[in-house]
Amino acid sequence: MKKLISLLVLLIFFNFSYSQNRVGDTGFISFTIEEENDQIDFVIADTVLNTQKPLLLFCQGSTPMPLFMDVGNNRIVPMPLGNFDLEEMRKHYHVAVISMPKTPMIVEYGELSEQYFYIGNSGSKNPTEEFSLADYIENYVRRANVVIDYLKTKDFIDFTKLVVCGHSQGSRVAVGIADANEDVTHLGLFAYSYERRIDGIIRKIRAQAEKGEITWEEADAKQSSQYEFYKRVLNDDSLKIRPHLTSWRSFSKSTIEELASLEIPVYIANGSEDISCANTDMIPLYFIEQGKTNYFIKRYSGLEHNFFPIVDGKPDHKNGEWKNVMNAFIEWSLDN
């Protein structure tokens, strides 16, 4: 599998063109790789690339969040890396993140949904059809490998070490990259679930009934609805009229075998209140079956999916812990 992907990357390499630019006064440099049928934008969180450091590639979650938002008055705000302590991360790594497929690198506020993902000028509350058709794991892994191969040609990257990490859906992508690319030396997974995407929804419905938020009869009805939805996900005819199901089918494959087969150090961090990651408790069993000890699991008590504390049953968005969570991973990556 790894050799096949490397060969495919080499075969299409000569169809690429490249460019790089500083992104306003954000402290980022952007790169664009033009392909025949795609454009891959990515950024490095620095403006002076004359110091050789290893690469840390961060894979963002499931929504088409742009890399930057133009808020007017010549102000451009970084988005997926905005929660991190970049100053600390830059001491040790060149930090990179790739734009989501079919998603502009910089967008205006009016082009975003209430959840801050790109919808363009469609007036819809849903991602664009172009994004939905490109939103599958094999595409993310391919695009990441194109970027990695490009950066291998740059003197400012020390490729004796390559750290790949991801959050939520991005953690599944990170597993795919680590499995496909022999250059990856360290893997970090945040809010990672190896099961089908729909499993977390089914589990959440049960939890609602257990807490008394809904009746068991209501839980039965909700779960039955999800089962019917999953049938459509696996129906080829459904994909033709519902392009967003492409992503659902892609991310309905377990990644636990890929994860357990890795020989590199693996770091896994989840919040105790993130029910979608309840299966984290089972992950050591798969490593034990393989006779492996190359993993570390950290549970953050009282935090939810995005590492916000739960106060009175709701996320406290003013006191997020992402900086501490990521810095703990950075420290681990330096010692392992």
Side-chain angles (χ1 to χ4, degrees), residues 163-307:
V163 179
V164 174
C165 60
H167 173 246
S168 192
Q169 177 176 291
S171 63
R172 295 171 67 95
V173 173
V175 171
I177 297 169
D179 179 65
N181 196 311
E182 295 178 349
D183 289 317
V184 179
T185 62
H186 294 73
L187 177 64
L189 309 176
F190 304 96
Y192 168 68
S193 172
Y194 60 82
E195 296 175 325
R196 295 172 293 255
R197 180 188 287 179
I198 202 169
D199 290 22
I201 298 175
I202 299 294
R203 190 178 291 112
K204 185 176 182 179
I205 294 171
R206 165 175 278 275
Q208 289 176 322
E210 289 175 338
K211 294 177 182 178
E213 296 174 358
I214 59 175
T215 66
W216 282 105
E217 290 74 17
E218 290 173 321
D220 289 341
K222 287 188 173 185
Q223 288 183 336
S224 293
S225 177
Q226 291 300 321
Y227 300 145
E228 290 302 315
F229 171 72
Y230 193 56
K231 290 179 183 178
R232 295 196 293 274
V233 168
L234 299 183
N235 186 301
D236 291 340
D237 292 333
S238 297
L239 293 181
K240 297 176 183 177
I241 58 177
R242 299 180 177 88
H244 69 280
L245 295 182
T246 302
S247 175
W248 276 92
R249 179 181 291 195
S250 173
F251 287 98
S252 290
K253 302 172 185 176
S254 173
T255 56
I256 191 62
E257 290 186 6
E258 292 173 292
L259 178 65
S261 70
L262 296 175
E263 302 292 339
I264 62 174
V266 177
Y267 184 98
I268 303 171
N270 294 313
S272 66
E273 306 307 301
D274 185 0
I275 193 169
S276 67
C277 299
N279 57 28
T280 302
D281 298 340
M282 307 301 169
I283 291 177
L285 301 178
Y286 293 93
F287 280 96
I288 291 169
E289 289 173 349
Q290 297 288 333
K292 294 181 177 180
T293 59
N294 58 312
Y295 68 97
F296 175 82
I297 297 178
K298 171 69 175 178
R299 191 199 321 265
Y300 284 89
S301 179
L303 302 186
E304 47 85 82
H305 188 69
N306 292 296
F307 298 104

Side-chain angles (χ1 to χ4, degrees), residues 5-18:
I5 290 178
S6 296
L7 176 61
L8 290 174
V9 169
L10 286 172
L11 288 174
I12 61 177
F13 181 83
F14 296 103
N15 291 325
F16 296 161
S17 63
Y18 310 98

Side-chain angles (χ1 to χ4, degrees), residues 59-75:
C59 306
Q60 52 183 317
S62 59
T63 61
M65 178 184 289
L67 298 183
F68 302 94
M69 178 171 60
D70 185 346
V71 296
N73 296 321
N74 296 317
R75 289 188 62 229

Side-chain angles (χ1 to χ4, degrees), residues 22 51 76 87 129 176 207 219 271 294-295:
R22 183 167 176 167
T51 301
I76 298 175
E87 183 176 349
E129 181 173 330
N294 58 312
Y295 68 97

